């Protein structure tokens, strides 16, 4: 099955609703920081943008725009203690089994087996919804996350958009 | 989230990105990406399919180790097995309900 062309589909959808064309970021190169340790020694964290919140926190607003909220997530949390609120993807399977978008159990297992060195003190959930204010992401919210990852001595960050 | 991956990487923390939107990811160009042709709500596979979830997570971590070229994306060989619907197509039949005014949560 051919991958879906999301860019024209999204453009057509929002233009149909009367929005101007989205000014997509198109990059031609990428930063690159090599891993400095074998995977089995890496402390690994994970970020989901799937509107996933622990039940001790308020839910994410499902139709969020320019929402810079980023929650720290306890990697030892029970998988039934999460809410999923995100209007931008089909969340039905995530509500049955959070691991389909945020494989917290699978990551714990790999750490227990020594495939990864350890799971970081905190995982992350945020940056959900539609982003128009890229400057705020690039200049404030993402650097703030970087500082926290530094405190947790994260060696590798898994990023899973939804 | 590709923007975030690039900021984190540029700050000195390696990242690995699991994508279900191939063309979207190719535009933003995160430092390392794995594409799986699954729905956006199922990057790691189906509910309660721990084997597939683990497999995809392993592939993701493997590419983190093996990637050498900035922006390198690999395609996983798995097929979803049925037609993937976008949220926009799903909204025709199933509407993304507004949040409950009291709890703030999206009803199931």
């Amino acid at each position: 099955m051919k991958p879906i062309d999301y860019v024209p589909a999204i453009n057509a959808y929002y233009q149909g609703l009367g929005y101007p064309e989205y000014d997509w970021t198109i990059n031609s190169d990428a930063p690159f920081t090599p891993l400095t340790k074998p995977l089995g020694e890496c402390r690994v964290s994970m970020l989901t943008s799937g509107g996933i919140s622990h039940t001790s926190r308020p839910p994410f607003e499902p139709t969020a725009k320019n929402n810079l909220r980023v929650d720290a997530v306890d990697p030892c949390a029970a998988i039934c203690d999460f809410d999923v609120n995100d209007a931008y993807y089909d969340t039905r399977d995530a509500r049955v089994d959070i691991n389909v978008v945020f494989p917290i159990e699978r990551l714990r297992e790999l750490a227990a087996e020594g495939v990864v060195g350890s799971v970081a003190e905190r995982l992350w959930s945020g940056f959900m919804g539609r982003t128009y204010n890229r400057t705020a992401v690039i200049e404030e919210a993402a650097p703030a996350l970087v500082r926290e990852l530094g405190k947790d001595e994260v060696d590798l960050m898994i990023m899973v958009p939804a | 989230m590709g923007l975030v991956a690039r900021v984190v990487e540029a700050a000195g923390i390696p990242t690995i990105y699991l994508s279900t939107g191939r063309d979207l990811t190719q535009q933003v160009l995160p430092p390392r990406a794995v594409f799986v042709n699954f729905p956006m709500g199922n990057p790691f596979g189906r509910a309660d399919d721990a084997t597939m979830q683990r497999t995809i997570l392993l592939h993701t971590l493997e590419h983190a180790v093996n990637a050498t070229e900035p922006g390198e994306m690999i395609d996983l060989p798995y097929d979803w097995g049925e037609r993937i619907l976008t949220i926009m197509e799903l909204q025709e039949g199933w509407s993304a309900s507004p949040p409950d005014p009291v709890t703030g949560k999206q009803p199931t």
Side-chain angles (χ1 to χ4, degrees):
Chain A
M1 213 182 314
K2 188 183 167 295
I4 292 171
D5 287 320
Y6 280 101
V7 174
I10 292 169
N11 281 339
Y13 178 76
Y14 283 105
Q15 279 159 228
L17 293 174
Y19 288 88
E21 190 171 318
Y22 186 74
D23 180 25
W24 296 99
T25 302
I26 298 178
N27 292 306
S28 51
D29 56 26
F32 193 85
T33 298
L35 284 168
T36 55
K37 338 179 150 159
L39 190 62
E41 291 171 30
C42 284
R43 181 161 297 151
V44 179
S45 187
M46 183 161 61
L47 169 66
T48 173
S49 61
I52 293 163
S53 55
H54 191 264
T55 47
S56 61
R57 298 271 294 130
F60 279 91
E61 205 287 285
T63 56
K65 274 192 303 220
N66 291 324
N67 189 326
L68 301 180
R69 170 176 161 188
V70 182
D71 285 5
V73 175
D74 176 359
C76 300
I79 58 159
C80 55
D81 287 344
F82 290 101
D83 289 322
V84 184
N85 287 279
D86 194 321
Y88 298 105
Y89 71 96
D90 184 351
T91 56
R92 287 175 288 185
D93 279 359
R95 291 164 193 221
V96 169
D97 180 4
I98 201 75
N99 292 293
V100 303
V101 290
F102 194 50
I104 194 167
E105 282 189 308
R106 307 286 84 84
L107 189 59
R108 295 197 290 244
E109 287 159 8
L110 293 183
E113 292 168 32
V115 174
V116 300
S118 59
V119 181
E121 183 127 347
R122 295 175 286 178
L123 306 180
W124 302 92
S125 176
F127 299 104
M128 68 154 286
R130 286 144 56 192
T131 300
Y132 298 98
N133 187 351
R134 277 161 281 201
T135 306
V137 171
I138 292 168
E139 295 185 4
E140 295 166 28
L145 176 62
V146 168
R147 284 193 288 278
E148 300 308 309
L149 298 179
K151 289 178 194 169
D152 291 356
E153 298 180 288
V154 172
D155 298 310
L156 176 64
M157 187 66 172
I158 304 169
M159 326 263 320
V160 195
Chain B
M1 207 205 277
L3 301 176
V4 179
R6 293 168 62 92
V7 169
V8 172
E9 188 93 18
I13 299 171
T15 65
I16 179 69
Y17 194 95
L18 177 63
S19 165
T20 50
R22 200 177 196 284
D23 62 340
L24 293 165
T25 303
Q26 289 279 356
Q27 288 192 149
V28 74
L29 214 60
R32 301 173 193 76
V34 174
F35 171 69
V36 64
N37 196 11
F38 284 176
M40 290 213 153
N42 298 81
F44 290 95
R46 288 184 163 84
D48 301 326
D49 188 354
T51 305
M52 178 56 85
Q53 293 163 11
R54 176 193 166 87
T55 297
I56 292 178
L57 184 54
L58 284 169
H59 279 302
T60 302
L61 292 166
E62 189 176 49
H63 187 50
V65 172
N66 294 336
T68 52
E69 295 302 311
E72 189 176 337
M73 173 186 271
I74 61 165
D75 293 82
L76 296 186
Y78 308 108
D79 189 279
W80 188 242
E82 52 188 288
R83 191 166 88 86
I84 293 171
L85 297 171
T86 66
I87 190 66
M88 300 166 288
E89 290 172 291
L90 281 166
Q91 275 172 353
E92 297 301 304
W94 169 81
S95 58
S97 313
D100 181 289
V102 173
T103 66
K105 293 184 187 178
Q106 196 173 7
T108 42

